[in-house]
C-alpha cells in the first residue's frame, strides 16, 4: 500500500452482464462494509492509478466493446479518488493498455473487463440507486462511512448531464 496499511481489493472478472450493474455496484458496498468491520484501511489511490482507470475505461470502450454507460473522465477520476476499496480485475483481453503500465498495485498491463464494467455500468451508472440503498441501510444502523462522498458524486453527475443537455440544445 502507499501508506503501508492493508486494504481490501475485490477482483471482478468479465464478462459481467450490463443487466447486473446495480448488483455489481452494490457488491462494492458489501466489500467495504466487511473492510469496516474488520478494521482495514481505506484504499489510498495514486494519481497514476486514477489516470490508468480513466485510460483503461476509454480503451475498453473503444477497443473491445462499447460500454452501455461510458462515464466522463471527471466521473471516473472522482470515483477512483473516493472508492474505499481498490476496484480491480483479472486480465481478460489479449490487448495491453497503451499508457500507465507497470503500476505496482495493478497486477497486469492487459485490459480488465471486470474493472471497466463495474466502473462504467456498475458504480458510475447506478450511483443514484446505490445511494438510495445506502441511505436505507444507514437508517437500519449500518455505518457505511466509506460512502459519505456518494451524494456528492450523484450531484456531480446531475451537473454534467445538465451541461450536456444544454450543449445539445444549443447545437
Amino acid at each position: 500500500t502507499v501508506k503501508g496499511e492493508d486494504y481490501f481489493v475485490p477482483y471482478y472478472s468479465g464478462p459481467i452482464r450490463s443487466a447486473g450493474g446495480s448488483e455489481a455496484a452494490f457488491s462494492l458496498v458489501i466489500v467495504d462494509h466487511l473492510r469496516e468491520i474488520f478494521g482495514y484501511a481505506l484504499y489510498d489511490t495514486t494519481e497514476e492509478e486514477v489516470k490508468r482507470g480513466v485510460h483503461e475505461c476509454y480503451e475498453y470502450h473503444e477497443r473491445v466493446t462499447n460500454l452501455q454507460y461510458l462515464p466522463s473522465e471527471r466521473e471516473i477520476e472522482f470515483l477512483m479518488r473516493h472508492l474505499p476499496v481498490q476496484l480491480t480485475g483479472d486480465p481478460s483481453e489479449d490487448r495491453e493498455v497503451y499508457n500507465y503500465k507497470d503500476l505496482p498495485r495493478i497486477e497486469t498491463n492487459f485490459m480488465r473487463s471486470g474493472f471497466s464494467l463495474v466502473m462504467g455500468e456498475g458504480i458510475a451508472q447506478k450511483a443514484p440507486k446505490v445511494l438510495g440503498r445506502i441511505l436505507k441501510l444507514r437508517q437500519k444502523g449500518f455505518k457505511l462511512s466509506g460512502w459519505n462522498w456518494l451524494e456528492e458524486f450523484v450531484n456531480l453527475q446531475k451537473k454534467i448531464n445538465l451541461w450536456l443537455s444544454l450543449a445539445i440544445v444549443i447545437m
Side-chain angles (χ1 to χ4, degrees):
T1 70
V2 172
K3 296 179 185 173
E5 298 175 286
D6 291 333
Y7 59 94
F8 272 29
V9 185
Y11 282 75
Y12 294 87
S13 296
I16 296 172
R17 292 181 52 232
S18 297
S22 297
E23 287 69 28
F26 196 72
S27 70
L28 291 169
V29 176
I30 294 168
V31 169
D32 183 56
H33 180 63
L34 293 171
R35 176 203 63 79
E36 205 162 37
I37 288 172
F38 293 117
Y40 283 82
L42 293 167
Y43 170 55
D44 54 337
T45 189
T46 66
E47 280 306 305
E48 292 293 303
E49 291 166 347
V50 171
K51 291 174 184 174
R52 165 71 182 263
V54 172
H55 178 70
E56 190 164 359
C57 282
Y58 275 80
E59 278 199 38
Y60 184 81
H61 179 76
E62 293 169 8
R63 295 173 58 200
V64 178
T65 189
N66 287 342
L67 293 170
Q68 181 180 354
Y69 181 78
L70 177 62
S72 69
E73 288 185 28
R74 195 167 166 199
E75 288 172 278
I76 298 168
E77 288 170 354
F78 188 100
L79 290 170
M80 291 292 297
R81 287 188 177 100
H82 290 88
L83 281 172
V85 296
Q86 180 185 2
L87 170 57
T88 193
D90 297 322
S92 58
E93 308 303 321
D94 292 332
R95 301 172 178 184
E96 286 191 355
V97 294
Y98 290 129
N99 297 309
Y100 308 107
K101 296 181 179 187
D102 302 321
L103 299 180
R105 299 190 304 175
I106 298 177
E107 298 169 349
T108 184
N109 290 329
F110 289 92
M111 285 193 270
R112 304 165 292 163
S113 62
F115 167 83
S116 299
L117 291 163
V118 174
M119 179 64 72
E121 297 177 357
I123 191 64
Q125 184 178 25
K126 302 300 182 177
K129 190 172 187 177
V130 171
L131 177 61
R133 288 183 182 177
I134 287 171
L135 295 175
K136 288 178 183 174
L137 286 169
R138 284 182 177 160
Q139 289 174 347
K140 295 180 179 184
F142 287 85
K143 192 174 176 185
L144 302 174
S145 63
W147 295 86
N148 294 336
W149 53 269
L150 192 56
E151 189 169 359
E152 183 182 348
F153 177 75
V154 170
N155 289 331
L156 170 69
Q157 282 188 312
K158 289 177 186 175
K159 289 177 188 174
I160 290 170
N161 290 333
L162 177 62
W163 182 85
L164 288 174
S165 298
L166 292 173
I168 291 170
V169 169
I170 292 171
M171 296 175 126

